[in-house]
Amino acid sequence: PQTPVFATSIPGTPSPSAMAATQPSADVEGALLAHLNANGEIPDSRALASYQETPRLPHHREHGTAWRRPCLPRVVPPRPDEPCLLSCPQDITREAWVLTDEAKGYAAGGSREVHLVAAIPPEGASRAALKEEFGDVVFDIARKAAAKNKWIRFERGIVLRTVEDTTDEMQELLKRVENGEDEVQEQLKRLEKGKVVPDLIKELKRRKLVTKEKVIWYSLKKGPEFVVKRKTLATDVTREHLKSGDWKDLEFKDYNYEAQGQPIAIGYSQPLLEVREAIQNIFLEMG
């Protein structure tokens, strides 16, 4: 069965440290169960992920808030036909805009145009020197963006600064996308439909700094046999159980009598016997 996962980009909520792992930690599971016990339900797992100060786990994706593959596979039944013992999840799916790998670098360290302006001394710098420092492709992108913002001007092959300080609006916008703010998500949807949006939003699409992905989160409620700390049920009585006598206090996992057994290895007829049987059938059919 498919293992449920949490989204790594969480629209509408703040974004603390990214969390993702193929196996959950006890702290994460304990925090989820404790929160569920105190509040009765979790209408939005994104809000819980933002609220909890959870440790950074090894990754699947770097951006956004994520409780990815942490608790649900172990806290809820793995198949829909099993009884809902601990918590009853309902998955909520939507498409959202998230940062590309290139944009994540800008969100963390600033946009290229800001770095370009910072590298220009008061007396200016030659295009050749800046190309050598940034590379042709990066310099070209940063030059166009900085010139559009009127941060630089050109004079006989020299690039001069026109401002002392710059405000990196692109970095701030990228952080808002990374945090999944609803206002930015709505503006990107409007842009997709061809409606009027701010120029900076258009830059995100033009420079391919955002991409659309499907995100999934969950709402949870207590199940009929909810417990704050789950017990590990025994599957069989072992020799150690018999020797220690603790088998009397063990709780055993219910047997699934409808489960399929192990496949049986079936043999094959010997070729000569098959030929003899075919000859016998011919005479039988003749009477």
Side-chain angles (χ1 to χ4, degrees), residues 45-272:
S45 59
R46 303 172 302 164
L48 175 64
S50 298
Y51 172 77
Q52 295 291 342
E53 294 183 0
T54 47
R56 181 180 295 272
L57 297 180
H59 148 71
H60 177 85
R61 284 207 197 143
E62 298 81 18
H63 61 272
T65 305
W67 276 22
R68 186 174 176 83
R69 298 184 184 272
C71 306
L72 284 183
R74 293 179 56 187
V75 179
V76 302
R79 297 197 307 269
D81 57 325
E82 291 185 356
C84 189
L85 300 178
L86 294 178
S87 54
C88 306
Q90 290 184 346
D91 63 298
I92 306 168
T93 305
R94 65 177 272 191
E95 288 186 330
W97 293 94
V98 298
L99 300 184
T100 61
D101 291 338
E102 178 186 2
K104 293 171 192 174
Y106 299 162
S111 62
R112 289 172 171 172
E113 51 269 31
V114 170
H115 286 289
L116 174 64
V117 174
I120 301 174
E123 65 275 13
S126 66
R127 292 194 181 202
L130 293 173
K131 283 185 178 181
E132 183 178 354
E133 181 176 351
F134 289 92
D136 292 344
V137 176
V138 174
F139 172 75
D140 188 56
I141 295 174
R143 174 185 61 81
K144 290 179 181 178
K148 185 177 181 180
N149 293 334
K150 299 181 179 180
W151 292 345
I152 59 174
R153 62 186 176 89
F154 305 95
E155 190 175 293
R156 297 180 181 179
I158 301 298
V159 183
L160 298 170
R161 297 175 57 166
T162 60
V163 293
E164 291 296 328
D165 299 316
T166 57
T167 300
D168 200 342
E169 295 180 352
M170 177 60 73
Q171 182 185 28
E172 295 302 319
L173 180 60
L174 291 173
K175 288 181 178 180
R176 293 175 63 190
V177 176
E178 188 173 37
N179 292 339
E181 291 189 14
D182 288 337
E183 181 182 353
V184 181
Q185 293 288 328
E186 187 61 32
Q187 288 178 342
L188 286 167
K189 288 180 182 178
R190 288 173 58 84
L191 176 62
E192 193 176 23
K193 295 177 181 178
K195 297 183 179 180
V196 179
V197 295
D199 290 340
L200 203 57
I201 296 293
K202 295 179 182 178
E203 284 292 299
L204 292 179
K205 289 290 296 295
R206 188 184 68 80
R207 295 170 62 173
K208 298 180 180 180
L209 299 177
V210 292
T211 183
K212 186 185 288 186
E213 289 187 358
K214 182 164 66 175
V215 295
I216 304 172
W217 62 93
Y218 288 85
S219 64
L220 297 169
K221 293 182 179 180
K222 286 185 179 180
E225 299 183 26
F226 175 83
V227 289
V228 178
K229 187 175 182 180
R230 297 185 304 123
K231 294 181 180 179
T232 302
L233 302 180
T235 57
D236 205 350
V237 179
T238 65
R239 182 178 180 182
E240 287 72 19
H241 292 153
L242 295 174
K243 291 177 65 177
S244 62
D246 61 358
W247 60 271
K248 300 176 183 179
D249 302 321
L250 287 177
E251 292 187 26
F252 291 92
K253 184 177 181 180
D254 293 337
Y255 281 100
N256 182 7
Y257 294 102
E258 297 181 359
Q260 298 293 325
Q262 293 293 333
I264 300 174
I266 301 176
Y268 298 91
S269 299
Q270 208 273 345
L272 292 178

